[in-house]
Each structure stands twice: as C-alpha cells, then as structure tokens.
Amino acid sequence: MTHDHLLSPITAAELTAPNRVWMAPLTRSRATMPGNIPNALMAEYYAQRADPRTGAGIIIAEATPVSPQGHGYYATPGIHTDAQEAGWKQVTDAVHARGGKIVLQLWHVGRVSHHALQPDNQPPVSPTDATSQSKTYIDDTYERHPNTPPRKLDPAELPAIAEDFANAASRAIRAGFDGVEIHGANTYLLDQFTRDGMNKMDPPWGGSTENRLRFPLLVAHSVVDAVGAGRVGYRISPLSEHHDAIDSDPKSTFTALAAVLGKLGLAYLHAVETWDRSKIDPRLKTVIPAIADAFKSAGGHAYVANGDYTPDQAEQAIASGWADAVAFGKLWISNPDLTERIRRDGPYNEWNSDTFYGGGARGYTDYPTIDQPALR
Ligand SMILES: Cc1cc2nc3c(=O)[nH]c(=O)nc-3n(C[C@H](O)[C@H](O)[C@H](O)COP(=O)(O)O)c2cc1C
C-alpha cells in the first residue's frame, strides 16, 4: 500500500512538519541520576529519529515532570532545574542538527507516584485522597511498587502548580524545543481533575464539568501565556480506564475541554484512542470525531491520533479525514527510520518490551535502520 497522505507535509499553527508520521511521547527512564538530567545517550536516541526524510514529522519527547512533586517514576528527565534545561539543550541541538523538530511533553503525575520519589518523602498530591491502583519503579532495580496514598490538594496550592507548568514551558523553549505538549492524558494530574471518577474537590475546582476543567484550563492558559498558543499541544485519553480512572460521560467532558482548547488556538490536540485496536471501545467511533470537531471548529489546528495504529490504518485515518497526523509509539522505539520504512512499505523491526524502561543503549539506540545489517 502507498502512504501518500501520511508522508505529506503538515502545518499546525507554528509547528510545521515534513510528514504526518509523528513520534508519540515515550518514557524510557534513561536520564542521569541523581538529578533526572537528560544526557548524551538521550540526544543520540532522539537524533536517530529526527531526519526529515526517514524520521518523525514531529518528535514528542517523553513525559517530563515540571516540578519535583511532578515525578512518579525513577530516572525520568525533568525540566525544573538549570542542569535539566542544559541537558535538554544538547538533545534539541542534536535533533535540529539533523533537521528535525521536537516538542516536550510537560507532566505532573499527581497521585500516580510513590513517596520515595517525592520531595522529603511527602505523599504525592491529587484532587482525591484515594490511592492509585498503579505500580511504579523507584530505583534502578526497576521493580514495581504499588503507588502510595496521596494527599488531597488544598485549592490554595493550585496556582503554584499551574505556574510550574508555565515555568517549565518557558524553560523548554529556552532549551530549544519547537513547542510543548501538555500531558492531560493517562490519568495523571490534569486527567485526575478532568474525570468525575477521580476529582473529589469541592466547587469551584470539582463537581460540574466546567468546574473539573477549571484547573486543566488554568494550566493551559498559563502555558499559552508563557510561550504562545501556536506551539502548544494537549494530550488526552478520553476512553482509557488506565490506572483505574473513569469518567461517566467522556464524550461531553472531553468535547467541552476540546472546545476551550480550540478557542485558545492550540496547535494540536492529541488523543490516545486505544492501546489495543483488537479490543476497541465501541464509543470511539462517535467520541473521537466529536472531540476533534469541537477542537477544530473552535479554532484549534490539527487533530493527532494515536493508539496501536499500523501504517496502513494511519494512512486510512488521514485519507478519510479522521486525523491530520498519527503519532506512533512502540513502532518508533524499534524503528529509528520508521518513515523510510513506511515509504518502502516495511518491513518493521519488532520492539523488545524488556528494554522499554531503564538501562543503557541496548534496546534504545541499537535498533537497525532498514539498510543496516541487524546489530542486535
Ligand atoms: C514504553 C512506553 C512509554 C510511554 N510513555 C509515555 C509518556 O511518557 N507519555 C504519554 O503520554 N504516553 C506514553 N506512552 C503511551 C504512548 O505514547 C502511546 O499512547 C501508546 O504506546 C499507544 O501507541 P502505540 O500503539 O503506537 O505504541 C508510553 C508507552 C510505552 C509503550
């Protein structure tokens, strides 16, 4: 099959890309510890995926905590210290030297954390005091530990957290990123506020849809004020029930969010549609078009789809008008030249999930390109 739509250029406000094969944010836990500092190995990994012909149209770099309190996994890089900013600069320089584009995903995990990863061993914070049923790794053994109980946030703390996102966005632009993506997906802090199954705050920060969206939108406004809407994206996962998160009416909740983000003039809205297309939620067919339409008709630029897409399904999604670009995750882990492979209609390297998180070059920078003999 040819993939002409997927391989065509796209402009979304201030973000321009040579193709619509974007790289989804992927936590790989290879930052230098202590300090959660991006390093030369990370620069090499991203640069391998940055060539305008063989690489990603836009690389969305891994989820990156905006503050010490935003951390929930060991060895994830941050963007709240000068050393982290300098570490990211070497990454963006390496990507730009190859002609690529890279945006940074801004993250606060909320309750999906462990006190061992928090400043002074404090409990993680959340709009609920219910403990996340997820597990995390807290040191270089990468053994999984249950999340520990959160402390419910005091409303007086919220402006400072929004400010952390704005400061992190400014740092990201200073570090050379072409833009930022606000992580509103996968049941981390902003999603914890958004969903009625998790937000237990009193009005005006909890309750009605409008109230639950107040904090995520405060963050979005703060980031837009800091760096300008034309280089800001926002990620959601409206149908995911990941980490025991539910919303009783995802269509109306996320359509309302998308409409305000569109009005702000964001460059793109990015949705994790599913993690497994063989078990697709039947609501997807109506929920996603409603959200994408709400975003774009209000003034937002591009809808970026993600979630277990094959290149053929992605081509179809763009040709049919479902999406403007498709972000691939696992395929980029194992195929540094994914776009060239799509141009040649494959073949594709398989990914090794044992090396997703932590470790060094193995399973990170050693996947071969199509013309390279297998090195592994
Ligand atoms: C190893 C790994 C790390 C991930 N890290 C992130 C992350 O940092 N931020 C995020 O929003 N999603 C993250 N995800 C989810 C992916 O971005 C993507 O939504 C998911 O893998 C489904 O897309 P795919 O089938 O194309 O891989 C991660 C997924 C994997 C497998």
Side-chain angles (χ1 to χ4, degrees):
M1 172 172 183
T2 56
H3 300 90
D4 297 341
H5 293 87
L6 205 45
L7 297 172
S8 67
I10 178 172
T11 297
E14 286 167 44
L15 295 176
T16 57
N19 63 59
R20 294 159 194 250
V21 188
W22 292 18
M23 180 170 163
L26 293 160
T27 291
R28 306 302 306 278
S29 291
R30 278 155 167 98
T32 299
M33 297 300 285
N36 303 81
I37 300 167
N39 52 41
L41 183 65
M42 291 170 59
E44 183 187 348
Y45 161 77
Y46 284 114
Q48 285 177 341
R49 288 152 180 78
D51 184 90
R53 183 174 168 86
T54 66
I58 303 265
I59 294 170
I60 305 166
E62 65 210 80
T64 296
V66 299
S67 64
Q69 186 192 64
H71 285 263
Y73 301 82
Y74 181 78
T76 52
I79 183 78
H80 48 85
T81 69
D82 291 346
Q84 292 162 352
E85 187 181 317
W88 278 121
K89 181 78 170 64
Q90 65 177 313
V91 173
T92 63
D93 283 349
V95 165
H96 291 148
R98 283 203 79 186
K101 295 275 171 67
I102 183 165
V103 310
L104 184 65
Q105 193 186 43
L106 303 178
W107 197 22
H108 188 308
V109 297
R111 68 175 187 160
V112 185
S113 188
H114 188 288
H115 59 72
L117 299 163
Q118 291 287 311
D120 303 322
N121 246 16
Q122 291 292 306
V125 296
S126 182
T128 172
D129 56 16
T131 307
S132 155
Q133 297 305 303
S134 182
K135 290 186 171 183
T136 188
Y137 41 88
I138 58 174
D139 56 31
D140 62 7
T141 63
Y142 292 91
E143 271 167 40
R144 296 267 176 172
H145 299 262
N147 286 153
T148 55
R151 174 178 66 77
K152 191 171 158 188
L153 279 158
D154 184 320
E157 297 174 84
L158 300 179
I161 300 178
E163 205 47 44
D164 288 339
F165 273 90
N167 290 337
S170 300
R171 275 197 189 270
I173 297 300
R174 278 205 302 275
F177 283 97
D178 298 288
V180 293
E181 175 176 291
I182 299 168
H183 197 343
N186 299 347
T187 78
Y188 296 112
L189 184 67
L190 303 189
D191 214 11
Q192 290 160 29
F193 271 87
T194 302
R195 295 168 187 247
D196 60 9
M198 281 189 292
N199 182 334
K200 302 298 169 197
M201 303 290 282
D202 293 329
W205 302 101
S208 65
T209 304
E210 192 186 345
N211 283 344
R212 284 182 280 115
L213 296 179
R214 194 174 307 282
F215 180 64
L217 290 172
L218 173 65
V219 168
H221 275 103
S222 304
V223 169
V224 164
D225 285 348
V227 303
R231 47 189 176 177
V232 176
Y234 193 105
R235 193 175 216 215
I236 57 174
S237 54
L239 295 175
S240 117
E241 291 179 359
H242 206 73
H243 302 167
D244 63 297
I246 48 161
D247 189 79
S248 59
D249 187 359
K251 186 172 174 190
S252 68
T253 299
F254 287 92
T255 304
L257 174 63
V260 185
L261 296 175
K263 208 166 157 200
L264 268 175
L266 255 53
Y268 69 89
L269 181 66
H270 181 188
V272 186
E273 297 175 349
T274 178
W275 283 66
D276 183 350
R277 262 167 214 278
S278 69
K279 294 189 207 141
I280 214 141
D281 186 321
R283 295 174 297 179
L284 191 80
K285 273 201 162 65
T286 52
V287 170
I288 293 294
I291 291 171
D293 183 56
F295 178 69
K296 289 171 68 171
S297 60
H301 293 266
Y303 170 64
V304 182
N306 163 257
D308 200 25
Y309 273 95
T310 63
D312 290 358
Q313 289 165 337
E315 171 67 14
Q316 188 60 34
I318 294 170
S320 68
W322 173 274
D324 299 297
V326 173
F328 296 87
K330 295 178 291 291
L331 274 171
W332 275 116
I333 290 181
S334 53
N335 296 278
D337 56 346
L338 180 60
T339 301
E340 182 62 19
R341 289 172 184 271
I342 291 174
R343 187 175 287 111
R344 299 196 205 171
D345 210 12
Y348 303 98
N349 299 322
E350 301 261 321
W351 55 82
N352 174 5
S353 54
D354 293 344
T355 50
F356 278 179
Y357 305 107
R362 196 173 75 82
Y364 190 51
T365 50
D366 64 352
Y367 285 101
T369 58
I370 197 164
D371 294 323
Q372 238 175 359
L375 300 173
R376 314 170 61 245

